[in-house]
Amino acid sequence: MLSIVFDENVPDCIVTALTALTEIAFPLKEVKISSVRLLGLTGKSDEDVLHAVGKNGILITYDKDFKTQRALSHIINQYSIGVYWVRQPNIKTVWLLAQLMVEHWQDILNKSDTEDKPFLFEVTKKGIERRQY
C-alpha cells in the first residue's frame, strides 16, 4: 500500500480533493492519504514529520527545507522516504495550487509506485523532475 502524507503547509481542501479524486479515478490503487494535521503533528519539527511518514512513505510539501536542508537527508535515507517538493507559483492561490497538484497527481502516484526510494522530486508547472540532496 502506498502511504502519502501531506505536510501542514498543504491546504486541507487540496488533501480532501486529492483523496476523493484518487478513490474515484484510481480505485484499484491502494493508497492511504493523510496529512500532518490529521496525524496531530501540526507545529512539530520536520524530523518529527519524517518519522511519522515512516518507512517507504511519501511526503508532499511546499516547504523548501525539504529541498535544501541536507540535515534532513539522513532521516529520508534511513526510512527510504520519497519527497515531492511542490514549487508554488509566484501568485499563490488555493485554486492555482490545486490545479498544479491535480495536473500532476497521476504522475506522482505512478512515480511513487515505481521509483526506488529515497528520492526527491520537484513538482512545477512544467512537470516533475528528480533533484539531488
Side-chain angles (χ1 to χ4, degrees), residues 60-62 64 67 83-90 96-108 111 120-131:
I60 299 177
T61 184
Y62 299 143
K64 286 183 184 178
K67 180 183 173 195
V83 176
Y84 291 93
W85 175 65
V86 182
R87 184 189 301 168
Q88 298 182 55
N90 292 335
L96 291 175
L97 295 173
Q99 283 181 306
L100 180 63
M101 290 303 300
V102 169
E103 179 179 344
H104 297 298
W105 189 239
Q106 184 172 3
D107 287 340
I108 288 171
K111 285 184 183 304
L120 170 65
F121 282 104
E122 182 175 354
V123 180
T124 68
K125 286 174 38 175
K126 294 179 182 179
I128 301 173
E129 294 185 35
R130 184 178 284 275
R131 296 290 183 227

Side-chain angles (χ1 to χ4, degrees), residues 3 5-7 36 39 41 44-61 63 65-67 69-84 118-120 133:
S3 176
V5 176
F6 285 89
D7 203 359
V36 166
L39 295 173
L41 297 171
K44 297 291 184 181
S45 70
D46 291 339
E47 290 86 357
D48 289 340
V49 169
L50 289 171
H51 286 293
V53 169
K55 189 151 184 69
N56 295 313
I58 302 294
L59 176 68
I60 299 177
T61 184
D63 187 346
D65 287 350
F66 287 98
K67 180 183 173 195
Q69 284 191 11
R70 292 196 184 278
L72 298 174
S73 66
H74 76 281
I75 300 172
I76 291 167
N77 289 326
Q78 177 185 358
Y79 287 105
S80 295
I81 294 172
V83 176
Y84 291 93
F119 62 67
L120 170 65
Y133 280 103

